[in-house]
Amino acid sequence: MTAIAGTVRRGDAIAAAAVRMARATVANGLIVILGLLVSAALLALTGADVAAATRALVEGSVGSPEAIRQSLIQATPILIAGLGVSFALRAGLVNIGADGQLYMGALFAVIVAVYGPPLPWPIAPVAMLVAATVGGFLWGALPGWMRARLGMSEVITTLLLNFVAFWIVSWAVHDPLHDPMGGGYPWTPEVPAPARLPVIRVAGFFLPSGLLLGLVLAMAISFVLHRTHFGFGLRVIGDSPQAARWAGIDVSRLTIAALAISGALAGIAGAAELAGNQYRLSDFFSPGFGFTALVVALVGRATPSGTVAAALFFGALAAGGGSMERIAQVPASTGLVVQGTVIAILVASRSAAARSFSYRLRRRLVRPDVGAA
Amino acid sequence: MRMPNARLAFVAAVSLALLAACSGGTATSAPTAAPAESAAPAQSAAPAASQAPAESAAPSAAALKVALILPGPASDKGFNQSAYEALAELQSKYGAETAYTESVAPNEFETAYRDYASKGYNVIIGQGFEFGDIAAKVAPDYPDVKFLVTNNPTLAAPNAEGLQPSSQDAAYLAGVVAGMATKSGKVGGIAGQQFPVIVAQMEAYKLGVLSVRPDASVTLTYLGTFDDVAKAKETAQAMISTGIDVIYHIADAAGVGVIQAADAGNILVIGWGKDQSALAPKAVLTSQIVDQKEMIVEAVGSIVDGKFSGQPQFYGLDTPVLGLAPITAVDATEAAKIQAKVDEVKAAILSGATKVPFITEPSK
């Protein structure tokens, strides 16, 4: 791709990129619609009122400024953590530990916000985010170091460190950090008002500032990946670690850095959720944000723009799916069924089998003589 | 460049085929759906008179629409299910239109509240202490909606209030029963999480045991879960192996494990929530009744009667919310003896002669 790009004029390259993006958008849109149709068929099989469910899904996700606000709130943690997972994926590293890194980020953030000195508004959320970055960074650097220096698979270590992080947080909210005014309920005191991330009102719409932070981070990551030596090195490692080593790239150092930054982003996601939605850290803080983030990164093909689009979609699906349950009274798991169906179709459409099938189909349609044999 | 094109064609073809298949289905079902929807507005006229005049601006406020938000599954045979069952009674008693949502995680609390409030539900119930924060935060944005949070002794706002059964009183009675029934002088208690209202009941149970059997040893354990049946069973088996012969549980769905272990180990068990004797007639000594359903029905009833106070409401042994199921699984004379003592202690609690403390930190 890069070789071709060098030989064509800049205008052509931009046009080609635009066409590619438009195609990807249409293809992904069709996959989503197909997923929704299959889900509707499944719903109809359970005897649910499909029309009412669909109406609730749409109204609950994009039907009103309030619904959009809830979709964006749901999208925020999975967007930022999804960017983290994407970042590691670009270096060929599978970070299954975003949930644990998110918990560690939230833990560091809550310690600063609740137990640190009281800070005024713009400084307090920044301090929280910095603390969360440190927490997530360390929790990501650890498996990075184990991978680079000890040769341990990051798939295993990041997965297992989820449990370590979870139980550290669980202990913290039950014992040293638990809210004395909550009378023993296992959660921390609320993050004080000046440390919270506000919801910004623009032209009648509500924009959670955590989501805006996510969009800024997406642009920053895009810049790092495509406009810096560091990002180039990461992408080379992702394509071929062997080639990277021959090219004189310090693979160990970049591996540690990639997972640490991946963890830092997941940590920021934890702080954004804490300061923007829940305000308290508990041991049921994350309903699996880190795993949804993995899905978001895979669906978004590990690109920042794809991750943004996928996170917004899954956020809307979470809010709309919830509304489907709340208002249309379809079973609780319906949102998950829709999500799973979309993912399954997406993965299937990208599989080698599907590509080969569609290739043969196309050849048969375009040149019947070739396919006929 | 050829590949995406081919894939696109493939996906488009399949989705078109499915679209065709599905649109056939929806076309036939549409006529049946339409009349059902148009019938809905007709029922709004009746209870208009009982509404407070201050809210008269919105005609839709006349119809009672109740939404319930549950932290766990509606079919848990305990805490969540009993609240869920209130909805059916609200439908028949007040003609309420109801909706519920189950297994809601904290990150969706606010989403759920705002979704219901903006869809015209005028009573929104959060089942459990943890909904108090969010109710207090959301309530000012929806002044025409009443927010109820069960098992929360502190929530107070112009349009939000906590509902709190004085469960420690019933737990104390359960302790009296356990203290009288034990042969070995060793009794146990197994609870889910160390929530304040749970700890208060465990400690009240212990005080109840010691009030009739001062030399008894009382072992209290917290599982850290309300739904791990296997863990609850193992914990109960471990207790039985130390000679404990009466176990009290506040473990909700996981409590089934405690009852199974007691049944298999031939000891006695005290249920929680509803009368659980049907689960193991030979083992269930009694059950502490904490009827979330009655509590919700009473609270919504007072809203319908215009008696909403905005202050926490407490429900004691004199209400149908709280009590003790009949004594079973022991012979008739012993059952009568225990029941007499229970009635005596209950009268003392109601008269104020015995005061059961609300202890929120577990004793060591």
Side-chain angles (χ1 to χ4, degrees):
Chain A
M1 210 62 209
T2 41
I4 299 165
T7 63
V8 295
R9 288 198 313 276
R10 192 175 167 75
D12 287 350
I14 290 172
V19 168
R20 238 184 3 254
M21 266 188 93
R23 282 220 176 103
T25 308
V26 171
N28 283 327
L30 284 173
I31 285 164
V32 166
I33 290 168
L34 183 60
L36 293 177
L37 287 175
V38 171
S39 308
L42 288 173
L43 261 187
L45 281 178
T46 67
D49 182 348
V50 177
T54 310
R55 200 163 51 239
L57 176 70
V58 175
E59 282 178 5
S61 56
V62 293
S64 66
E66 186 54 57
I68 292 171
R69 169 189 185 173
Q70 297 309 326
S71 291
L72 297 181
I73 290 224
Q74 296 296 325
T76 301
I78 56 176
L79 164 61
I80 303 176
L83 289 171
V85 178
S86 294
F87 191 78
L89 269 179
R90 293 302 285 269
L93 298 164
V94 184
N95 178 10
I96 305 182
D99 220 45
Q101 293 143 12
L102 185 143
Y103 263 115
M104 288 314 262
L107 179 64
F108 275 54
V110 87
I111 289 171
V112 166
V114 175
Y115 296 92
L119 298 168
W121 176 66
I123 302 167
V126 170
M128 270 180 90
L129 290 167
V130 169
T133 309
V134 172
F137 187 92
L138 293 176
W139 211 247
L142 184 60
W145 179 81
M146 289 195 273
R147 159 84 195 229
R149 303 278 183 244
L150 308 177
M152 295 167 73
S153 163
E154 81 285 359
V155 176
I156 308 287
T157 52
T158 54
L159 176 68
L160 293 180
L161 282 170
N162 280 331
F163 298 102
V164 181
F166 174 81
W167 287 109
I168 289 174
V169 168
S170 182
W171 164 76
V173 300
H174 273 90
D175 197 15
L177 300 186
H178 101 272
D179 180 7
M181 303 307 289
Y185 201 83
W187 58 16
T188 65
E190 283 192 302
V191 167
R196 294 178 189 175
L197 290 174
V199 173
I200 300 161
R201 281 172 208 226
V202 185
F205 286 95
F206 305 95
L207 295 177
S209 42
L211 187 91
L212 299 180
L213 173 69
L215 296 179
V216 171
L217 288 171
M219 285 189 270
I221 288 165
S222 185
F223 179 82
V224 168
L225 281 174
H226 298 285
R227 296 277 181 274
T228 66
H229 285 289
F230 174 62
F232 178 73
L234 287 180
R235 286 187 292 133
V236 174
I237 294 176
D239 287 341
S240 163
Q242 204 68 23
R245 220 165 278 125
W246 285 336
I249 293 171
D250 186 346
V251 175
S252 311
R253 202 175 61 87
L254 260 59
T255 297
I256 298 173
L259 277 172
I261 291 169
S262 178
L265 286 162
I268 293 172
E273 171 69 12
L274 184 73
N277 187 23
Q278 294 188 37
Y279 304 151
R280 291 178 191 266
L281 180 60
S282 61
D283 60 4
F284 34 80
F285 178 75
S286 166
F289 288 133
F291 301 100
T292 311
L294 186 65
V295 171
V296 161
L298 291 173
V299 170
R301 297 189 175 210
T303 65
S305 58
T307 304
V308 169
L312 290 175
F313 171 70
F314 283 109
L317 200 57
S323 192
M324 206 154 67
E325 184 203 342
R326 286 187 289 270
I327 307 298
Q329 301 285 278
V330 297
S333 46
T334 309
L336 290 174
V337 171
V338 176
Q339 194 173 322
T341 311
V342 169
I343 295 164
I345 292 172
L346 203 66
V347 172
S349 76
R350 286 178 192 172
S351 70
R355 267 183 283 172
S356 131
F357 174 75
S358 60
Y359 181 63
R360 274 184 281 123
L361 186 76
R362 182 165 173 271
R363 285 216 307 185
R364 196 166 299 182
L365 290 176
V366 178
R367 292 173 58 190
D369 53 310
V370 178
Chain B
M1 279 307 144
R2 284 162 67 190
M3 291 304 245
N5 239 342
R7 232 177 307 156
L8 198 67
F10 164 61
V11 172
V14 176
S15 17
L16 279 174
L18 249 155
L19 188 66
C22 276
S23 62
T26 46
T28 51
S29 67
T32 54
E37 281 156 28
S38 60
Q43 66 187 49
S44 63
S50 63
Q51 281 294 320
E55 296 177 359
S56 60
S60 63
L64 183 63
K65 286 182 80 178
V66 181
L68 173 67
I69 304 171
L70 300 171
S75 58
D76 66 355
K77 304 227 182 297
F79 184 70
N80 292 288
Q81 186 170 353
S82 57
Y84 169 71
E85 285 167 358
L87 294 181
E89 189 152 337
L90 292 174
Q91 286 166 11
S92 59
K93 203 165 173 181
Y94 301 112
E97 194 181 318
T98 65
Y100 75 101
T101 179
E102 57 186 339
S103 301
V104 179
N107 70 309
E108 290 191 319
F109 283 0
E110 188 174 345
T111 304
Y113 266 112
R114 290 189 184 277
D115 198 15
Y116 280 130
S118 61
K119 296 265 169 25
Y121 286 85
N122 43 28
V123 177
I124 302 177
I125 304 159
Q127 172 71 349
F129 174 83
E130 65 268 38
F131 289 94
D133 283 351
I134 308 294
K137 178 181 169 190
V138 169
D141 293 349
Y142 304 95
D144 294 338
V145 179
K146 299 281 189 287
F147 294 87
L148 301 176
V149 175
T150 66
N151 308 291
N152 186 313
T154 55
L155 180 64
N159 61 329
E161 67 184 23
L163 313 177
Q164 178 64 45
S166 303
S167 309
Q168 69 278 9
D169 293 353
Y172 188 86
L173 292 183
V176 168
V177 173
M180 292 190 72
T182 179
K183 304 273 187 293
S184 65
K186 293 179 176 177
V187 302
I190 297 175
Q193 305 274 10
Q194 275 188 22
F195 297 161
V197 290
I198 304 289
V199 174
Q201 291 171 75
M202 291 287 268
E203 295 301 325
Y205 164 75
K206 184 175 179 177
L207 292 175
V209 172
L210 297 176
S211 74
V212 293
R213 184 93 186 241
D215 65 326
S217 92
V218 184
T219 308
L220 304 179
T221 301
Y222 295 88
L223 297 169
T225 167
F226 280 109
D227 36 42
D228 191 339
V229 175
K231 191 173 180 186
K233 195 171 179 176
E234 283 165 21
T235 307
Q237 282 164 345
M239 282 189 173
I240 295 167
S241 70
T242 67
I244 284 172
D245 62 356
V246 183
I247 302 178
Y248 163 72
H249 88 78
I250 324 179
D252 200 23
V256 175
V258 177
I259 294 172
Q260 286 170 352
D263 199 20
N266 290 315
I267 66 149
L268 296 168
V269 62
I270 298 175
W272 192 92
K274 315 195 261 192
D275 187 343
Q276 294 189 307
S277 60
L279 291 176
K282 291 206 311 294
V284 176
L285 180 56
T286 180
S287 299
Q288 178 186 330
I289 307 292
V290 180
D291 199 329
Q292 304 283 327
K293 178 185 140 193
E294 285 293 339
M295 184 166 72
I296 289 171
V297 170
E298 295 227 341
V300 174
S302 58
I303 291 175
V304 172
D305 298 341
K307 289 183 190 151
F308 183 86
S309 72
Q311 291 298 319
Q313 303 294 305
F314 292 90
Y315 299 85
L317 288 168
D318 53 341
T319 67
V321 175
L322 211 59
L324 220 52
I327 310 292
T328 51
V330 289
D331 65 67
T333 43
E334 197 184 350
K337 204 175 105 198
I338 296 174
Q339 188 64 55
K341 182 72 184 168
V342 166
D343 292 342
E344 180 196 323
V345 176
K346 180 178 169 181
I349 292 173
L350 285 176
S351 72
T354 299
K355 208 144 175 51
V356 182
F358 192 85
I359 302 166
T360 55
E361 290 294 332
S363 59
K364 298 293 176 200

